[in-house]
Amino acid sequence: MRLHILGICGTFMGGVAALARELGLQVEGSDANVYPPMSTQLEALGIALQTGYRAEYLQATPQHAAPDRIIVGNALARGNAAVEYLLDAGLDYVSGPQWLGETVLRGRAVLAVAGTHGKTTTSSLLAHLLDAAGTRPGFLIGGVPENFGVSARLGAGAPFVIEADEYDTAFFDKRSKFVHYRPRIAVLNNLEYDHADIFPDVAAIQRQFHHLLRTVPGNGRLIVNAEDARLAEVLAMGCWTPVETFGIDAGDWRARLLDADGGAFEVRRGGRLIGTVRWELLGRHNVMNALAALAAASAAGVDAAASLPAFAGFRGVKRRMQLIGTRDGLHIYDDFAHHPTAIATTLAGLRAKVGAARILAVLEPRSNSMRAGAHAAALAPALAAADEVVLLARPALAWDTAPVIAALDGRGMAVPDTDTLLATLAARARAGDHVVFMSNGGFEGAPRRFAERA
């Protein structure tokens, strides 16, 4: 079978492409934006990529036949040339989550990780713990775990770890992606308002999370953040599955920080000491991610105490506080943080690690919620741990960044393009600084461009 994937360079759809290729299918795809790490992963798999969405990509040519089926990403809408052609031509099409649920997940022991923040790191940790325990899990993760080098694989064992996104499925299916996965074990990491382009308020997101709960069987398990009041409200809507909670200040699974930066912590379950974790990740939020992954692995039958040494071998995820260069005394990081809470926790973890060293935060407001200004009021407080802030405020940005810059009390500035941004950083950064680029997109290659010129 020949598949064409529309929107193939998204982190989720790129993983779908990798799984389809591993199943032996012929895979090709197109996307409006092609950038690493997904583009390089797809190229390494020998998957042909085409730029833009054109009707001719879905038609037979002298070089190859027309695709037998089209997997449609949720970035595409009515009016898109490829979408209009496939509808007019009566082609066979399906969403990525539905294809995944029917083709890959059916018959597997699915472990789904949901939440506004931390899904990628927690999913990667969970897959790593299961792999270290010898279960040979499959996975599809919205990033590239350094321990595996790919965002998706089928695996040889029963478990399959899936990053469970609450964003909608496709132009023809407005349910959240995660309702297609039917997990036996589901992690609910946290719940905040996000995706302002499709959700009017946090209650709408809570309803989608409750739809996920409805799919988890009674002999499964829910792993829930004990410190999140909105998740407690979701459980109160109705719950038919045993629940285990985790947290630092509350929960069945708890951690006690031994290092302020989260680099070492004790783990207890029901008050009983399990052991100590020492690892490379930073921040309270990552300690919470670790607890969630450990509790989920335990629910899948893995011995918790025996799993703790595996944390030391976890190498993180590309673009999650990834140190991409150290040059002339500068430390340069590429990070995916795009929500105020994620920005704040990431910078707080780095501050605990580096002490009084200067932190320069470089932010691209790129997500739909960020571009719409839904989080504008929370940005300055989220950036409190940074000594200086450079905000990329392209002319097309829908809101005025001046109040954010003013609220930073002389620590911030806005620039109109990446060239100006890089020149500004080059003039202001000095030896010993930690420069953190934050965006959920390609950022026009700014992190690596700066690392090469710094």
Side-chain angles (χ1 to χ4, degrees):
M1 172 178 280
R2 187 183 197 94
L3 291 179
H4 187 100
I5 300 180
L6 295 171
I8 193 169
C9 285
T11 52
F12 172 79
M13 296 298 276
V16 167
L19 294 174
R21 185 59 181 265
E22 195 174 347
L23 284 169
L25 305 177
Q26 296 182 61
V27 185
E28 61 186 36
S30 52
D31 204 303
N33 298 297
V34 177
Y35 56 83
M38 204 50 58
S39 61
T40 52
Q41 174 177 296
L42 294 170
E43 289 165 0
L45 292 171
I47 294 174
L49 304 179
Q50 295 164 306
T51 301
Y53 300 116
R54 300 181 183 177
E56 53 261 39
Y57 294 161
L58 308 181
Q59 300 168 354
T61 72
Q63 288 74 38
H64 64 75
D68 299 296
R69 200 173 202 194
I70 299 159
I71 300 180
V72 183
N74 68 351
L76 286 88
R78 288 301 304 265
N80 178 284
V83 167
E84 295 305 316
Y85 175 78
L86 73 86
L87 292 173
D88 289 342
L91 302 182
D92 182 21
Y93 66 93
V94 68
S95 72
Q98 182 179 342
W99 180 89
L100 183 70
E102 295 174 351
T103 309
V104 176
L105 301 184
R106 185 169 292 173
R108 303 292 292 269
V110 178
L111 299 92
V113 178
T116 308
H117 319 293
K119 292 187 294 294
T120 300
T121 298
T122 304
S123 300
S124 301
L125 271 168
L126 179 52
H128 174 65
L129 294 179
L130 292 172
D131 195 63
T135 68
R136 301 178 297 170
F139 56 81
L140 195 164
I141 296 168
V144 180
E146 295 281 11
N147 290 84
F148 299 110
V150 294
S151 68
R153 76 176 190 192
L154 289 176
F160 194 99
V161 178
I162 175 76
E163 181 173 329
D165 188 4
E166 73 272 22
Y167 208 79
D168 62 5
T169 297
F171 75 86
F172 52 88
D173 183 351
K174 306 315 287 184
R175 297 173 294 170
S176 289
K177 292 176 182 176
F178 53 40
V179 301
H180 292 277
Y181 302 154
R182 303 186 181 182
R184 183 155 297 278
I185 297 168
V187 174
L188 306 185
N189 242 7
N190 40 62
L191 198 161
E192 290 192 68
Y193 184 60
D194 200 6
H195 308 307
D197 52 320
I198 62 170
F199 293 122
D201 50 39
V202 75
I205 304 175
Q206 287 178 303
R207 282 192 291 274
Q208 292 298 323
F209 271 68
H210 193 246
H211 292 165
L212 172 63
L213 260 61
R214 289 173 178 270
T215 68
V216 184
N219 61 357
R221 197 77 52 85
L222 294 173
I223 310 298
V224 182
N225 182 345
E227 301 177 9
D228 195 304
R230 292 192 177 104
L231 288 177
E233 291 170 355
V234 172
L235 294 177
M237 295 178 187
C239 182
W240 304 266
T241 306
V243 176
E244 290 188 57
T245 57
F246 65 93
I248 294 174
D249 299 321
D252 302 314
W253 295 80
R254 295 197 191 186
R256 183 174 73 87
L257 271 61
L258 301 177
D259 291 345
D261 63 6
F265 56 93
E266 286 182 349
V267 177
R268 293 179 180 271
R269 182 183 187 184
R272 182 175 64 87
L273 180 65
I274 301 297
T276 300
V277 169
R278 299 186 185 277
W279 65 339
E280 295 300 317
L281 270 64
L282 302 176
R284 186 184 194 276
H285 61 300
N286 276 322
V287 174
M288 292 288 283
N289 294 336
L291 286 174
L294 185 63
S298 175
V302 173
D303 181 82
S307 293
L308 297 187
F311 282 95
F314 181 66
R315 304 205 306 271
V317 184
K318 290 184 186 296
R319 302 204 62 209
R320 267 61 177 185
M321 275 304 287
Q322 181 184 9
L323 181 64
I324 61 170
T326 53
R327 175 182 286 185
D328 299 331
L330 291 173
H331 308 269
I332 304 160
Y333 307 84
D334 189 6
D335 189 64
F336 198 77
H338 62 281
H339 184 283
T341 298
I343 292 168
T345 54
T346 296
L347 293 177
L350 182 61
R351 172 59 68 202
K353 180 72 173 179
V354 305
R358 291 205 324 154
I359 297 175
L360 280 64
V362 189
L363 178 64
E364 178 189 28
R366 183 188 175 277
S367 73
N368 290 322
S369 296
M370 279 285 201
R371 289 201 303 265
H375 300 311
L379 273 184
L383 292 160
D387 295 282
E388 293 194 28
V389 175
V390 182
L391 183 66
L392 179 58
R394 293 189 176 93
L397 196 65
W399 51 280
D400 183 7
T401 60
V404 175
I405 300 304
L408 289 169
D409 297 324
R411 295 182 297 114
M413 66 191 72
V415 297
D417 54 64
T418 53
D419 288 339
T420 305
L421 181 149
L422 292 173
T424 300
L425 284 176
R428 302 187 72 85
R430 57 178 185 256
D433 287 354
H434 295 259
V435 183
V436 185
F437 288 82
M438 295 178 162
S439 171
N440 72 332
F443 215 151
E444 297 180 24
R448 295 198 178 276
R449 288 164 62 191
F450 183 69
E452 290 167 0
R453 68 181 285 180

